[in-house]
Amino acid sequence: MSTLKPDSTKEDNLSIQPGPSIPVSSPSRWSLWFGGPTVEIGPRIGPILPSLSSATDPVEDDRQNESDPEANLTSSEQILSKQLAIDSTHAIQYRTCTWQKTAALLFSEYICLAIMSFPWSYSVLGLVPGLILTIVVAAIVLYTSLVLWEFCLRHPEVRDVCDIGQMLFWGREWAWYATAVMFLLNNTFIQALHVLVGAKYLNTMVTGGDSETGIACRTVSFGIIVALVCWVCSLPRTFNMLSKIGTASAFFTFVSVLLAAVFAAVQKHPAGFDSETGDPIWTLVPSQGTTFVTAVNAFLNISYTFIGQITLPSFIAEMKDPRDFPKALWACTIAEIIVFSIVGGVVYVYTGDQYMTSPAFGSLQPLFKKVSFSFMIPTIIFLGVLYASVSARFIFFRIFKDSKHKSEHTLVGWGVWTGILLTTWILAFIIAEVIPFFSSLLSLMSSLFDSFFGFIFWGVAYFRMRKADGKLGLSGKDSSEGSGKVTRFLLGSLNIFIILVGIFFLTVGSYASVEGIIDEFTTGTVGSVFTCSSNGL
């Protein structure tokens, strides 16, 4: 099989050697699941988007040759090779992450504060359904993340989920703009969640009223402090640098939730205990009186913690060798299932339905609560920083496409980068003060954005890639009989189910989230907007 050669007539100041000949087929069964150097890259679903055409693209003839799968395959390899070659000449280099550093980013994204909403979810759903849903959601997210990775291998020029959204929906500009709005809102909501929790942490540590502490309008003031700290920490411009901070963040989060589980088990009684209410009661199945709205919100809380595919294209776009991404993904998923299940189950059993709070730190005695909650500080700051960086990249790369300001240390470049980040944190602060509650904010975010970024997009991506392959399935051979046919049918059915789950999130999930918020305001269990009173645990 021949390999396409770069067009010698095209002006280019870098010499790119053509890659080795690669069979034109979908990735083989095992390499698709676990990655590595033997991964076979399938054909593109379409040409490079005009907005992504730049000096990092392969030759024009390759890009336009949609009828020749081999040309498109080689083109994908040439794009990556040229990106790496050009990146190596810049002061600020982006494709520098190994799979270990990418794993650190994933751990810092997923091993996060939202783990402490699992005990509340288990108290609503019951321990057995809660644990089952934890494993099922983790498996679905793992599978859809592998579909996403396969898509990024075929289209290495994409830098974020917005590019993927446009490609999935046949290059339509409206798809890019719709995805961009959801992308930025999702990331800003997550930043807002961490401003909210940061203020909650400071209020938990500081006892007494405003007059005793000398802090005017303390919750708003603490929110401003957290937003400013996060803004400063967002300034590094590459994931390579952030991955080092992310490793520490994930470690401290693990210590925090481990301490919370241990403290829940060793404390004499949960916080708020009284003899009339009695000892903690936990159930294997949902308790009587569990409403549809609370059950859906509990499911959404679990789902939100697992669903983080929105950032994965950005992570993959900064890897030296994207074929190794599944190694990071599997390591993170296995750790998630173990940590989430153990922490959620242990804290729930020792806290019970009567004394449960969200996050569950509030169910611990004051000293235990402050000690375990304090280890969460790096994650409260870093995870918001990570999503702010992803948003800023999205805007920054489009403002300075093919400009020296993107890859060199310039006053204009750093000024714009700083200004973009400041804007996102101001918006995050406003959202945190307008929606001042934890569980309901998680549920609302999950229903509005995870429906697309967690499910619908990747079901559509599967069918678009299988159409490009000329078959429906992930098996290595295109057989019309036997196991190949069964595999295609089962995986096709699975991806239809994934799309339907996304629609369920968007419709029923949004309804349940809004109803839950209305109920909380009606019962007075949350503060008002821009409240000055403490929101501490």
Side-chain angles (χ1 to χ4, degrees):
M1 186 178 293
S2 63
T3 303
L4 292 181
K5 307 292 183 180
D7 188 348
S8 59
T9 62
K10 184 177 178 68
E11 293 183 4
D12 193 345
N13 59 359
L14 289 171
S15 176
I16 305 300
Q17 298 298 322
S21 177
I22 296 178
V24 181
S25 65
S26 297
S28 62
R29 185 187 302 272
W30 294 112
S31 64
L32 178 65
W33 294 104
F34 299 105
T38 62
V39 171
E40 297 175 349
I41 303 174
R44 302 174 60 89
I45 68 169
I48 295 174
L49 297 173
S51 60
L52 297 177
S53 298
S54 69
T56 61
D57 295 341
V59 296
E60 187 73 17
D61 290 343
D62 289 350
R63 189 168 63 246
Q64 299 299 330
N65 193 351
E66 298 178 63
S67 62
D68 184 352
E70 182 180 353
N72 288 323
L73 174 57
T74 306
S75 175
S76 296
E77 284 226 314
Q78 288 177 338
I79 294 172
L80 178 58
S81 296
K82 199 163 188 180
Q83 284 176 342
L84 290 168
I86 293 177
D87 199 43
S88 65
T89 66
H90 293 152
I92 301 176
Q93 298 177 13
Y94 292 99
R95 275 202 180 271
T96 54
C97 284
T98 60
W99 74 264
Q100 293 92 339
K101 291 180 179 179
T102 304
L105 291 171
L106 292 179
F107 276 110
S108 66
E109 178 182 5
Y110 288 110
I111 308 299
C112 63
L113 178 67
I115 298 173
M116 297 309 290
S117 71
F118 274 64
W120 176 83
S121 294
Y122 291 175
S123 73
V124 173
L125 299 169
L127 186 59
V128 171
L131 290 172
I132 292 173
L133 280 175
T134 298
I135 296 171
V136 170
V137 173
I140 292 176
V141 171
L142 172 65
Y143 171 74
T144 55
S145 298
L146 290 170
V147 172
L148 182 160
W149 163 70
E150 181 188 354
F151 189 95
C152 290
L153 283 183
R154 298 182 184 214
H155 313 89
E157 75 280 4
V158 300
R159 294 205 63 90
D160 49 57
V161 75
C162 302
D163 295 334
I164 294 177
Q166 184 176 359
M167 293 197 72
L168 289 180
F169 295 97
W170 297 274
R172 300 291 188 268
E173 285 193 17
W174 64 262
W176 187 90
Y177 284 107
T179 306
V181 170
M182 291 189 294
F183 175 73
L184 292 173
L185 282 175
N186 177 82
N187 293 356
T188 307
F189 264 71
I190 292 176
Q191 292 175 244
L193 177 64
H194 287 263
V195 172
L196 170 66
V197 176
K200 187 183 291 286
Y201 167 78
L202 293 175
N203 272 313
T204 301
M205 295 298 112
V206 178
T207 57
D210 290 355
S211 58
E212 298 174 58
T213 61
I215 303 173
C217 201
R218 55 193 285 175
T219 296
V220 174
S221 299
F222 287 155
I224 294 173
I225 292 171
V226 173
L228 288 174
V229 171
C230 290
W231 170 58
V232 173
C233 293
S234 303
L235 293 178
R237 279 168 58 175
T238 66
F239 286 136
N240 184 40
M241 184 176 296
L242 288 178
S243 69
K244 300 172 185 176
I245 307 173
T247 302
S249 170
F251 171 76
F252 282 108
T253 301
F254 177 75
V255 172
S256 174
V257 298
L258 182 63
L259 286 176
V262 171
F263 290 157
V266 301
Q267 65 183 358
K268 186 175 182 180
H269 297 295
F273 173 83
D274 66 79
S275 55
E276 291 185 7
T277 305
D279 292 328
I281 299 173
W282 60 276
T283 60
L284 291 174
V285 295
S287 303
Q288 288 186 350
T290 300
T291 66
F292 175 76
V293 169
T294 55
V296 171
N297 279 330
F299 169 59
L300 292 174
N301 271 0
I302 291 175
S303 301
Y304 163 78
T305 311
F306 280 105
I307 296 172
Q309 295 98 315
I310 190 171
T311 62
L312 301 192
S314 301
F315 293 167
I316 295 171
E318 296 202 11
M319 290 187 70
K320 290 180 181 177
D321 189 352
R323 295 173 299 179
D324 286 335
F325 177 73
K327 298 176 185 177
L329 188 63
W330 276 98
C332 186
T333 301
I334 293 171
E336 284 178 300
I337 294 174
I338 295 172
V339 174
F340 295 1
S341 299
I342 292 176
V343 172
V346 169
V347 174
Y348 169 49
V349 167
Y350 284 98
T351 300
D353 297 326
Q354 315 100 297
Y355 308 107
M356 184 57 62
T357 62
S358 184
F361 291 117
S363 301
L364 301 176
Q365 292 294 334
L367 177 61
F368 292 156
K369 172 176 61 181
K370 291 182 179 182
V371 171
S372 57
F373 203 179
S374 293
F375 278 94
M376 194 65 73
I377 294 175
T379 292
I380 291 174
I381 296 173
F382 177 78
L383 191 52
V385 165
L386 183 63
Y387 278 87
S389 182
V390 171
S391 292
R393 256 174 184 71
F394 169 73
I395 299 171
F396 186 80
F397 286 169
R398 279 154 182 81
I399 294 175
F400 293 121
K401 177 185 176 183
D402 300 330
S403 167
K404 67 176 182 179
H405 301 300
K406 185 181 82 170
S407 304
E408 303 294 335
H409 295 289
T410 66
L411 182 61
V412 172
W414 277 104
V416 172
W417 175 260
T418 302
I420 293 171
L421 287 169
L422 179 61
T423 301
T424 65
W425 283 111
I426 290 173
L427 292 174
F429 166 75
I430 294 172
I431 293 172
E433 297 302 321
V434 172
I435 311 179
F437 31 81
F438 182 75
S439 291
S440 295
L441 183 55
L442 283 179
S443 299
L444 182 62
M445 290 163 51
S446 185
S447 58
L448 289 177
F449 305 121
D450 291 348
S451 55
F452 292 99
F453 299 131
F455 300 99
I456 295 174
F457 270 26
W458 316 123
V460 174
Y462 170 84
F463 287 112
R464 291 297 310 276
M465 288 190 291
R466 299 293 80 80
K467 182 179 179 181
D469 295 337
K471 57 187 177 183
L472 289 177
L474 294 178
S475 57
K477 296 182 180 180
D478 186 14
S479 172
S480 59
E481 298 180 358
S483 61
K485 184 177 181 180
V486 173
T487 301
R488 291 197 300 275
F489 173 78
L490 291 177
L491 288 170
S493 300
L494 173 61
N495 281 275
I496 291 173
F497 172 74
I498 287 172
I499 293 173
L500 292 176
V501 170
I503 295 173
F504 174 84
F505 266 58
L506 183 61
T507 54
V508 178
S510 295
Y511 163 77
S513 298
V514 173
E515 282 295 316
I517 292 172
I518 293 173
D519 290 345
E520 288 189 87
F521 273 114
T522 301
T523 58
T525 56
V526 296
S528 59
V529 299
F530 285 95
T531 182
C532 290
S533 58
S534 172
N535 67 346
L537 297 174

